Amino acid sequence: MSLIEGSIVGVLAIAVLTGGWRVWGSTQPWRWTRVFGQVFMAVLLYLLIFPPSINRPRETGIILSPGTTPHQISGLSQELPTLALPGLETSKPTIEQIPDLATGLRQHPEIGDLHVLGDGLPARDREAVGDRGLAFAPGDDPQGIVQLSVPDFVREGGRWSVRGRVAGEGNQQLRLLDRIDEPVATTATDNEGRFELALQAKAAGQTLYRLQLLDDQETLMEEIPLPMVVVAGDSLRVLILAGGPDADLKYLRRWILDSGNTVASRISLSRGIEQNQDGTALDAKSLAETDILIIDERAWAGLSGSAKSLIRAAVGQGLGMLLRVTAPMSAATTSEWKVFGFDIKPADIGRSVALAAPFSDLVLTRPALVLVAADSVPFVRAGDGSLLAAWRAIEQGRVGVWLPLDSYRLELSGDSTRYGSLWSGIFASVARARGESIPVVPKRLPVGERSVFCNLSSDSSIEDADGQRHDLLIDAGSNSCAAWWPVQTGWHRLNNAESSWPLYVHAANVAKSLARTELRQATARMQKSAPDQTTYRAAMPRWPLLLAWLLVCSVFWWLERRLSR
């Protein structure tokens, strides 16, 4: 019982006791009835002020979001409660405008299941759904760029790509412009509207690209800013174990050194003779200090059982390993590598193989082997879709397999950029994970919308485009998250512990089709059936209690008037 309710009960009790004492002390008849009337009127007045809860039937609520079509509105039932979220304007008197879903549900406790129309529920309204059932009927499909995939960041010198899908008819072109409005990549959509633009990351820093969608007349239909953060690459420690020298290994060692990495190697030249550079011992300490181990099938076969066990343990603790296949493998090596999740089988296939995009103009040589790894991530595919290189995670480390024998042909043809992109991508995927923890940042940061960052330190803050600092209120939960509502466009910085991370905030009206698509997908994932609850507890209507109280008061008022004559 609250303080207010207790105070009212006290006032009513004092009034009943005072009135009952006066009635009982009088000489008029009907004393018991009149005392009971005092109590009865007080009880009815209390119930009128604090009505009891009763079971009431639930109803389906219609929720209109932006994107609801006039056709959907015209077909609405007049009997069901219909609420419109901000951004949807309608003059229909039966539709109630609400500031957010939580407010609407508090005002209409009778609403059980929700039927959402339009583009769906924004992030602020999804938590309000609770355990209610939800059905979703989207409006007209958005046109333009509806899917977009861009990496959060890229290492310096690495190759990165922009992938997505365009909804609409006709032949459409995609163009990527750099910060000086020069086109750096162009492509056309395929039959399904999909596209991919690839380019090379240059110096470390932040760059704002612009992705443009053009129709078949080269008329600009849509433009989306694409911020890209290029981070300086870490110097990796590479250990190479090879059963013999070859041209591909020679060019690979040169690229490793030219990229600012360190390399140690043990290459067998003949029985009992090997080239040992930097004198690295193969023990637990050296493996713990190594980021990538590159080993071929001949070097693996020459290792002792204890050395193989050390390598397996090091992989489980984070070591990255690349298995190079340069010749047909023995049954023992095939069986031992199968433990890493790769099944390498002999096959009657041609040794010359054309690569798939983005290396579709390149023909390399491979052993007469096929690589099978159902749960792996592809590095390189042949034009027929078969795997030429792939990797998979094993505990804390990663292991990859590499079949091509002559990737150095890229260097010989003068295409050192793509050669570097190929191997930097492999190293970035397989190498031991280390370095500072990177905060979890949303893909897009529009002005005026709630954005959530995670993996933050307790003193994290945002430095806006004007240099003003805004401290973040960190949630004490395990993910250390904080919410932020940006108010201006441009580059900002997220200061986290002793590091900072650049952020770009774009205008609210940018990438509308993409935002609508993401909203629809998020709402569609929430569709569910509610528990079988056809009633809910709610306060009973006050008007029956008011009529009963007035009736009882009138009867006893008449009785008191008659007795006083």
Side-chain angles (χ1 to χ4, degrees):
M1 181 180 294
S2 65
L3 179 61
I4 295 177
E5 186 176 356
S7 301
I8 292 177
V9 169
V11 171
L12 291 176
I14 293 173
V16 168
L17 290 174
T18 302
W21 178 261
R22 292 181 61 186
V23 169
W24 189 258
S26 67
T27 58
Q28 297 171 335
W30 302 89
R31 286 188 299 176
W32 278 107
T33 302
R34 290 157 60 198
V35 171
F36 174 74
Q38 297 280 345
V39 177
F40 193 29
M41 286 186 290
V43 171
L44 286 176
L45 182 57
Y46 171 81
L47 294 177
L48 180 62
I49 300 173
F50 303 104
S53 297
I54 60 173
N55 285 328
R56 302 183 67 176
R58 287 193 178 273
E59 296 183 85
T60 297
I62 308 298
I63 309 299
L64 306 182
S65 64
T68 304
T69 64
H71 176 72
Q72 289 178 311
I73 294 177
S74 63
L76 294 176
S77 171
Q78 303 292 328
E79 300 177 356
L80 297 177
T82 304
L83 312 178
L85 295 174
L88 179 71
E89 301 296 334
T90 177
S91 58
K92 203 169 184 179
T94 56
I95 298 177
E96 179 183 345
Q97 294 283 344
I98 56 174
D100 54 70
L101 182 60
T103 300
L105 294 178
R106 285 195 299 269
Q107 295 172 349
H108 295 270
E110 74 277 9
I111 292 180
D113 292 349
L114 303 177
H115 188 191
V116 180
L117 307 180
D119 288 336
L121 300 177
R124 70 166 187 272
D125 292 328
R126 292 173 200 151
E127 294 181 1
V129 175
D131 60 354
R132 295 176 177 84
L134 188 144
F136 179 46
D140 295 336
D141 293 334
Q143 301 294 303
I145 300 175
V146 295
Q147 289 182 10
L148 190 62
S149 175
V150 184
D152 295 331
F153 66 94
V154 63
R155 297 287 179 184
E156 185 177 8
R159 188 178 181 85
W160 62 285
S161 61
V162 180
R163 299 183 181 91
R165 184 173 67 85
V166 176
E169 298 180 355
N171 297 322
Q172 295 169 318
Q173 305 288 324
L174 280 302
R175 182 170 62 190
L176 192 63
L177 305 180
D178 62 13
R179 58 185 177 183
I180 59 174
D181 292 341
E182 288 292 329
V184 292
T186 58
T187 190
T189 57
D190 62 14
N191 295 333
E192 297 180 351
R194 301 190 180 277
F195 66 90
E196 179 176 0
L197 296 161
L199 64 160
Q200 186 88 15
K202 298 182 180 179
Q206 56 201 46
T207 304
L208 183 64
Y209 294 90
R210 290 185 292 126
L211 178 63
Q212 294 183 337
L213 174 63
L214 311 173
D215 62 13
D216 51 5
Q217 303 297 322
E218 296 193 356
T219 302
L220 181 62
M221 301 174 61
E222 188 176 5
E223 183 176 283
I224 299 177
L226 292 183
M228 176 50 61
V229 178
V230 180
V231 298
D234 295 327
S235 176
L236 301 177
R237 296 159 298 202
V238 184
L239 173 61
I240 297 177
L241 303 180
D246 59 65
D248 215 29
L249 195 59
K250 170 186 174 182
Y251 281 88
L252 178 57
R253 289 184 71 255
R254 179 183 299 173
W255 174 83
I256 294 173
L257 293 172
D258 291 344
S259 300
N261 303 307
T262 61
V263 60
S265 60
R266 287 170 48 184
I267 302 175
S268 177
L269 302 178
S270 64
R271 182 182 297 275
I273 301 176
E274 64 181 20
Q275 182 188 64
N276 192 338
Q277 183 178 2
D278 290 345
T280 300
L282 192 63
D283 53 27
K285 181 176 182 297
S286 63
L287 290 175
E289 295 174 349
T290 299
D291 296 311
I292 301 178
L293 169 63
I294 302 175
I295 185 170
D296 61 26
E297 79 289 341
R298 290 178 292 173
W300 179 272
L303 294 177
S304 64
S306 59
K308 294 175 182 178
S309 298
L310 282 175
I311 291 175
R312 294 190 191 100
V315 169
Q317 295 171 4
L319 173 68
M321 181 166 64
L322 183 65
L323 307 173
R324 292 179 66 237
V325 183
T326 62
M329 297 169 52
S330 66
T333 301
T334 301
S335 176
E336 290 170 346
W337 283 10
K338 199 170 184 178
V339 174
F340 296 118
F342 299 101
D343 192 6
I344 304 173
K345 304 176 180 179
D348 185 15
I349 56 176
R351 291 173 60 90
S352 181
V353 58
L355 303 191
F359 302 96
S360 53
D361 59 339
L362 185 62
V363 178
L364 298 180
T365 305
R366 66 178 175 186
L369 302 168
V370 294
L371 171 61
V372 180
D375 59 346
S376 66
V377 179
F379 276 144
V380 180
R381 286 188 181 274
D384 60 4
S386 60
L387 282 177
L388 295 177
W391 67 268
R392 62 189 304 272
I394 297 179
E395 297 182 27
Q396 299 180 35
R398 292 178 175 181
V399 176
V401 170
W402 177 260
L403 294 184
L405 301 174
D406 48 4
S407 64
Y408 66 90
R409 289 187 179 182
L410 279 168
E411 281 279 11
L412 292 181
S413 64
D415 199 351
S416 58
T417 298
R418 283 205 300 170
Y419 181 82
S421 298
L422 173 66
W423 282 103
S424 64
I426 294 170
F427 275 37
S429 299
V430 174
R432 182 190 300 273
R434 58 189 176 91
E436 64 180 6
S437 177
I438 296 176
V440 179
V441 178
K443 290 289 187 181
R444 294 185 303 110
L445 296 170
V447 167
E449 291 190 18
R450 178 175 178 260
S451 301
V452 178
F453 308 111
C454 292
N455 197 19
L456 301 177
S457 61
S458 59
D459 58 347
S460 295
S461 63
I462 297 288
E463 184 179 328
D464 62 25
D466 295 332
Q468 298 295 320
R469 174 174 169 168
H470 307 274
D471 293 331
L472 296 175
L473 181 61
I474 311 298
D475 186 359
S478 58
N479 293 328
S480 300
C481 297
W484 177 54
W485 284 261
V487 296
Q488 63 181 131
T489 62
W491 285 101
H492 297 56
R493 296 199 73 84
L494 171 61
N495 299 313
N496 185 43
E498 297 181 355
S499 63
S500 63
W501 192 258
L503 310 170
Y504 184 80
V505 178
H506 61 73
N509 58 350
V510 170
K512 287 185 176 180
S513 298
L514 181 61
R516 289 180 61 194
T517 302
E518 293 173 349
L519 198 62
R520 288 167 171 237
Q521 293 172 347
T523 306
R525 290 193 293 267
M526 295 181 64
Q527 294 187 95
K528 61 181 178 179
S529 298
D532 188 16
Q533 296 178 352
T534 57
T535 61
Y536 70 102
R537 298 291 294 180
M540 69 175 295
R542 283 186 166 89
W543 65 267
L545 297 170
L546 178 61
L547 291 178
W549 182 76
L550 290 174
L551 177 62
V552 172
C553 287
S554 299
V555 169
F556 282 95
W557 175 82
W558 173 81
L559 179 60
E560 291 293 337
R561 290 282 294 177
R562 182 172 181 179
L563 292 176
S564 62
R565 291 176 181 175

